[in-house]
Amino acid sequence: MGEATADILPVKDTVIRPAIVFGQHRIAGTRATTALRCAGLSMTKARTKEDLLHRIGQAKPDLVVILGAQDGHDPASLLADINASRRTETMPVLFISEAGIRCAGAYANFDRVAPDSGVFETFLAVRALLRRERPWILQESRCYGALQLDEARFRLAYGQRTAALGKLDINILGPFFDAPGHVFDRRMLQRLAYGYGRWKKGSRLIDAGVCRTRGLLMEHLGFDPIQTVRGVGYRLIGRPA
């Protein structure tokens, strides 16, 4: 798949999940196509807003991707129409645009990446969004070293030992298995784990979440696989040093 995907672990699930893409952006569209394919999603295109909303109701996709700014369509209004058209419990929406998006309240079933984001960033955003909104569709077990993460069943195994995970634990651990060996800075990991709009300068939210997850894993697995990288953030180790 080339250098653009060298740092990520593509999904190899035999079930290909549907995604609908609306809008046009040549460069971002090409990168999004690659990222979706790596995330185990097939892509169909909606020609108009009406076509998009119809397809959401009929096809029940696992993800909607909005490419670029849509003339005459305010992002918040478009998101409201998408949510009103869905026939599933949740509907993850990824905006690939320059403009920020306002959300009502603390909860957001969407995320945003800039059009110049690479395949790496887009892939991680897609996977994190699905993990937060539709974790039960992530059926493939993800492995790193001696660790095996079962996202759909909320379990992390190490040899004969298993830790039952909570939703936040899955959201924190998942990115490490999507990009094995990558060191995540605090801002990026917090964004992936908690969602859009949750990062504020000086925030220690991710540190508190990671601390809790580390304690859980130490208790049930007998070792802590999350390693602090001083001055940067965190990385995962596949087995005890």
Side-chain angles (χ1 to χ4, degrees), residues 1 3-6 8 30-36 38 116-126:
M1 292 184 183
E3 292 183 3
T5 61
I8 64 178
T30 300
R31 291 170 178 166
T33 299
T34 302
L36 291 175
C38 289
D116 60 355
S117 297
V119 172
F120 180 79
E121 293 84 1
T122 306
F123 169 80
L124 289 175
V126 168

Side-chain angles (χ1 to χ4, degrees), residues 84-149:
S85 299
R86 63 180 170 83
R87 296 292 181 268
T88 53
E89 183 178 351
T90 61
M91 180 54 62
V93 181
L94 178 66
F95 289 88
I96 301 181
S97 66
E98 294 286 0
I101 303 161
R102 293 188 178 186
C103 59
Y107 173 75
N109 64 311
F110 67 91
D111 207 336
R112 181 189 71 85
V113 296
D116 60 355
S117 297
V119 172
F120 180 79
E121 293 84 1
T122 306
F123 169 80
L124 289 175
V126 168
R127 288 280 298 168
L129 186 55
L130 292 177
R131 191 175 292 119
R132 296 194 305 269
E133 295 297 315
R134 301 175 67 79
W136 58 88
I137 74 168
L138 305 179
Q139 294 292 324
E140 180 195 22
S141 291
R142 310 281 277 174
C143 298
Y144 182 56
L147 298 171
Q148 184 174 21
L149 180 67

Side-chain angles (χ1 to χ4, degrees), residues 3 30 68 85 97 114 142 150 156 165 168 170 202 206 224:
E3 292 183 3
T30 300
S85 299
S97 66
R142 310 281 277 174
D150 188 336
L156 180 66
L165 305 173
L168 180 58
I170 284 286
I206 189 60
D224 173 16

Side-chain angles (χ1 to χ4, degrees), residues 11-19 36-37 39-43 62:
V11 171
K12 297 179 180 178
D13 196 342
T14 55
V15 178
I16 305 301
R17 301 286 177 173
L36 291 175
R37 185 176 70 248
L41 294 159
S42 63
M43 185 182 74
D62 286 305

